[in-house]
Amino acid sequence: MTDQHITTPETSRMTRLPALRRYVNLLGPMIMVIVLCIIMAFAEPRFFNVPNLMIILHDAAIFMVLGTAMTLVITARGIDLSIGAVAALSAIVMAMLIKDYGVNVYLAMAASVVVGLLCGFVNSVIITRLHVPDLLATLAMDQIYRGIALVLAAGAVLARFPEPIPFIGRGRVLGGIPVSAVVGLVALAVGVVLYRSTHIGRYAAAIGGNREAALLSGINVRRHKTLQYVIMGGAAAIAGILLTGRLNAVQATVGQGLALHTIAAVVVGGTVLFGGRGTMLGTLVGVLLLSMVTNALVILRFQFFWQLVASGIVIIASIGFYSYMNRSGDDDGKDET
Amino acid sequence: MCKIGVEMEGEKQPLLAMRGITKSFGGLRAVTDVDLTLHEGQILAIVGDNGAGKSTLIKILTGVYQPDAGEIFICGAKVEMSSRRDSIRVGVNAVYQNLGLVDALPAPANVFLGNEPVRRILGIPFLDNRRMREETERILIENTGVKLEDATVPTLNLSGGQRQAVAIARAVLVADLKVLVMDEPTAALGPEETRNTLALIRAVRDRGIAVIVISHNLEHVFAVADRVMVMRGGRKIGEVDTATSSGTEVLGMIVGSAVGAGAHATTPSTLGAQQ
């Protein structure tokens, strides 16, 4: 009895395939990266110059930080549209503390992260306690945070910050590697560990994949939703610091469009918008792909507006490819239960 | 299973006893004065039409609902349960029809969900994924005889029988499990998967765990259960031994018609559609 091994022919086929299929959602963006590289090899070989590649990394850095946290949020079937405003608000608070109140720069940076964490916490309270859907809650909070940032800054552009803010935002280390990219890659590395080897990542997948099962397993869904949004808020604040340092200036309107670009990168990378399945590696690929497309169009001297068109095409192509691969996967004999 | 074999009136003490269980929802009597006795290593099937009170009874046993009246004894000791956690604590666990698996997560993550072993590095708890994988493979082999070829694939990509085994492994993980409740384990399974699942149930029984199976399918019930308890309109209509009874007799009890009901009444497979 106990030696009976249940392996039907169907089973063995199904268990071997996913090993490949696990990375299938990366295939679409990977193909696009390769196609883009081939095109650029002919159209403008300078695309591959190390300084240009560093520009791409520099551009992608903010979205690595945001994408890491957003992957977690989306995996748990959440979404955060407020991150652009959170980045702006936390950056404005930091800038005002330094400029208007003469606060130590490190203290001000810490304060901005605290503001970000708080914003994330407020989002989570509205979602988990008032039961406002994630999308609408963060859409509304985006307006509120942006409004507060605008009121605080009163139209001012705050500029010329002490180190290390410019260093973090646009400095280079080790012969040209952007500091921001180091920050972004560290964030992603932390994200990978968080995702694979901690309760935070595991329960995000459980909550997004089967909320009922998560609840029945005794997982504190509310606490983990809160954690995810707090982490997202912290990431948004770090993005705000990077943005401030990049231009060495900040105003309350900064960071518009950050949320949608981040969500696009995460989804292009293969994280499923309906929860349960996320991939940090995919997010890295998604972020890099979008930044590469933008950069390619810039060096090919296309008008800025074409970048929007191209980003849209990339998003649709990735998700279309992913849906197609998944549909063909479902057809080969798997019973839905 | 029960620690000390206290003899009760010369009979071996039952693992589980439910006495006079009654539960209403508003004005609706869902379960009325139901008794249930289950001994170690037994498989009891509960059958009945939709709305017969099976699910309510099971939810009371697993702590989801609290009975208005009646008592539950585990190994002769009275237990009070106000949540699933309580039922798990006293050694009763359930595998629901939808299995309660997170499809996107692999088997080990599902088996240990909410109960993950951790390794502390600098005081930070990290999931011990390797231990979860090894333990899952061991639990699966020991309790269900199922061997996974690759424990890292999402459970979505496992066969119906394997998914069932993962759900059982998850339920069996409870320390000192005494009673395993399975709600419609063979619903939506093909013939091959059904056979495998029935084998899984026997494998669990062979571990000395008492099993309660809720099912609509009398063929499967007779294939696996030792006894069948029939419910109708929230009451226990009767209980028969599968060795000395027939599907026709049980079917007659379910639909409430006189002897010979089987001649014109529904077949087991269409029973679910009948109200």
Side-chain angles (χ1 to χ4, degrees):
Chain A
M1 178 58 55
T2 45
D3 276 327
Q4 164 230 14
H5 290 186
I6 296 179
T7 44
T8 59
E10 178 208 348
T11 310
S12 46
R13 196 178 75 237
M14 290 307 295
T15 44
R16 225 169 289 128
L17 260 178
L20 248 175
R21 197 175 287 165
R22 218 169 308 157
Y23 296 102
V24 118
N25 40 7
L26 270 184
L27 213 58
M30 286 305 265
I31 290 171
M32 278 189 272
V33 167
I34 292 165
V35 169
L36 182 71
C37 286
I38 293 171
I39 293 173
M40 293 313 286
F42 289 103
E44 184 53 271
R46 277 185 303 167
F47 180 77
F48 299 102
N49 288 353
V50 172
N52 189 53
L53 295 179
M54 290 304 154
I55 288 172
I56 293 174
L57 272 184
H58 175 66
D59 181 61
I62 285 173
F63 297 105
M64 292 183 199
V65 175
L66 292 172
T68 301
M70 189 65 88
T71 304
L72 203 64
V73 169
I74 292 180
T75 301
R77 210 182 271 241
I79 198 144
D80 193 340
L81 296 179
S82 73
I83 57 176
V86 173
L89 177 59
S90 56
I92 287 292
V93 168
M94 173 182 75
M96 289 178 70
L97 285 175
I98 295 168
K99 287 298 188 183
D100 299 350
Y101 297 93
V103 173
N104 172 284
V105 60
Y106 291 97
L107 265 178
M109 284 165 65
S112 93
V113 172
V114 170
V115 169
L117 298 173
L118 270 176
C119 290
F121 181 73
V122 171
N123 286 347
S124 75
V125 167
I126 291 165
I127 291 162
T128 63
R129 300 279 169 180
L130 301 183
H131 303 287
V132 178
D134 306 49
L135 183 91
L136 297 174
T138 55
L139 181 66
M141 290 316 292
D142 181 69
Q143 312 258 306
I144 292 175
Y145 298 140
R146 181 71 67 187
I148 296 172
L150 285 162
V151 169
L152 284 178
V157 178
L158 296 146
R160 284 194 291 280
F161 296 98
E163 296 293 356
I165 291 174
F167 176 71
I168 294 170
R170 58 186 181 190
R172 303 286 175 124
V173 284
L174 303 173
I177 299 169
V179 177
S180 58
V182 176
V183 173
L185 288 169
V186 167
L188 258 165
V190 170
V192 168
V193 174
L194 212 61
Y195 203 79
R196 293 197 181 155
S197 299
T198 71
H199 287 104
I200 294 174
R202 181 62 48 85
Y203 292 172
I207 292 166
N210 189 343
R211 191 188 168 93
E212 199 61 38
L215 279 168
L216 283 175
S217 303
I219 294 171
N220 190 333
V221 172
R222 192 177 273 167
R223 184 199 295 161
H224 277 270
K225 288 288 275 189
T226 303
L227 258 173
Q228 291 147 18
Y229 280 100
V230 167
I231 291 171
M232 183 77 251
I238 293 170
I241 297 172
L242 290 173
L243 275 172
T244 306
R246 185 173 286 186
L247 297 173
N248 205 3
V250 67
Q251 53 184 330
T253 51
V254 79
Q256 282 168 349
L258 276 188
L260 291 182
H261 188 105
T262 304
I263 292 162
V266 169
V267 173
V268 163
T271 293
V272 180
L273 203 47
F274 307 107
R277 287 182 185 213
T279 145
M280 286 290 168
L281 192 64
T283 295
L284 175 62
V285 174
V287 165
L288 289 178
L289 175 61
L290 289 183
S291 291
M292 284 168 76
V293 170
T294 306
N295 179 272
L297 292 174
V298 169
I299 13 184
L300 293 176
R301 295 177 192 286
F302 277 86
Q303 259 191 334
F304 166 77
F305 308 109
W306 284 109
Q307 294 174 21
L308 301 177
V309 175
S311 298
I313 291 172
V314 167
I315 294 164
I316 288 172
S318 309
I319 296 167
F321 181 82
Y322 176 71
S323 299
Y324 173 76
M325 292 305 285
N326 264 28
R327 191 168 49 242
S328 61
D330 286 346
D331 287 342
D332 53 27
K334 173 82 193 76
D335 277 348
E336 285 294 328
T337 39
Chain B
M1 272 278 149
C2 298
K3 289 271 154 28
I4 306 154
V6 184
E7 300 289 310
M8 267 174 61
E9 296 158 19
E11 200 185 322
K12 205 180 169 207
Q13 187 170 334
L15 214 52
L16 166 71
M18 297 173 86
R19 296 280 170 258
I21 301 293
T22 300
K23 175 76 180 173
S24 306
F25 296 101
L28 185 78
R29 269 281 173 89
V31 171
T32 309
D33 197 24
V34 171
D35 290 352
L36 182 155
T37 308
L38 189 61
H39 288 276
E40 186 179 326
Q42 266 190 347
I43 300 176
L44 171 72
I46 304 180
V47 299
D49 215 334
N50 294 333
K54 301 171 304 212
S55 295
T56 307
L57 185 68
I58 283 323
K59 282 184 174 154
I60 290 169
L61 178 57
T62 52
V64 178
Y65 297 152
Q66 285 68 55
D68 299 335
E71 295 172 310
I72 301 172
F73 301 89
I74 303 279
C75 293
K78 190 176 174 206
V79 291
E80 300 278 350
M81 298 183 281
S82 56
S83 70
R84 273 213 73 195
R85 268 197 175 220
D86 289 348
S87 78
I88 287 171
R89 191 173 40 76
V90 300
V92 179
N93 207 351
V95 174
Y96 291 110
Q97 188 176 351
N98 61 19
L99 300 183
L101 297 177
V102 180
D103 286 342
L105 289 176
N110 269 295
V111 169
F112 284 92
L113 193 64
N115 193 21
E116 292 86 355
V118 294
R119 238 167 355 126
R120 285 186 184 274
I121 301 172
L122 302 173
I124 305 163
F126 288 100
L127 302 181
D128 196 341
N129 284 319
R130 206 180 104 185
R131 196 175 132 204
M132 281 190 251
R133 196 175 60 241
E134 289 169 357
E135 289 274 297
T136 298
E137 284 169 353
R138 187 182 59 74
I139 294 166
L140 275 174
I141 283 287
E142 281 181 8
N143 290 283
T144 66
V146 170
K147 184 168 170 26
L148 292 181
E149 287 171 30
D150 180 356
T152 64
V153 299
T155 47
L156 175 72
N157 298 113
L158 300 179
S159 69
Q162 288 175 326
R163 287 165 54 80
Q164 192 84 239
V166 172
I168 292 172
R170 174 170 168 59
V172 168
L173 195 66
V174 169
D176 197 21
L177 181 73
K178 297 187 179 76
V179 180
L180 178 65
V181 179
M182 299 193 68
D183 189 8
E184 294 286 359
T186 57
L189 289 184
E192 170 81 16
E193 296 294 359
T194 297
R195 229 173 31 133
N196 290 336
T197 297
L198 296 181
L200 290 181
I201 296 171
R202 290 189 201 101
V204 172
R205 188 261 321 270
D206 291 348
R207 298 267 294 164
I209 294 163
V211 183
I212 296 179
V213 177
I214 314 285
S215 183
H216 266 115
N217 191 314
L218 291 185
E219 192 191 323
H220 300 162
V221 163
F222 273 84
V224 74
D226 302 305
R227 289 185 301 140
V228 182
M229 171 174 150
V230 182
M231 290 187 73
R232 190 171 74 229
R235 289 180 182 276
K236 177 173 170 180
I237 295 301
E239 193 169 321
V240 298
D241 244 321
T242 49
T244 58
S245 180
S246 70
T248 314
E249 185 191 346
V250 170
L251 189 59
M253 291 164 79
I254 292 172
V255 297
S257 26
V259 187
H264 59 84
T266 47
T267 61
S269 53
T270 59
L271 194 64
Q274 205 206 14
Q275 186 61 34

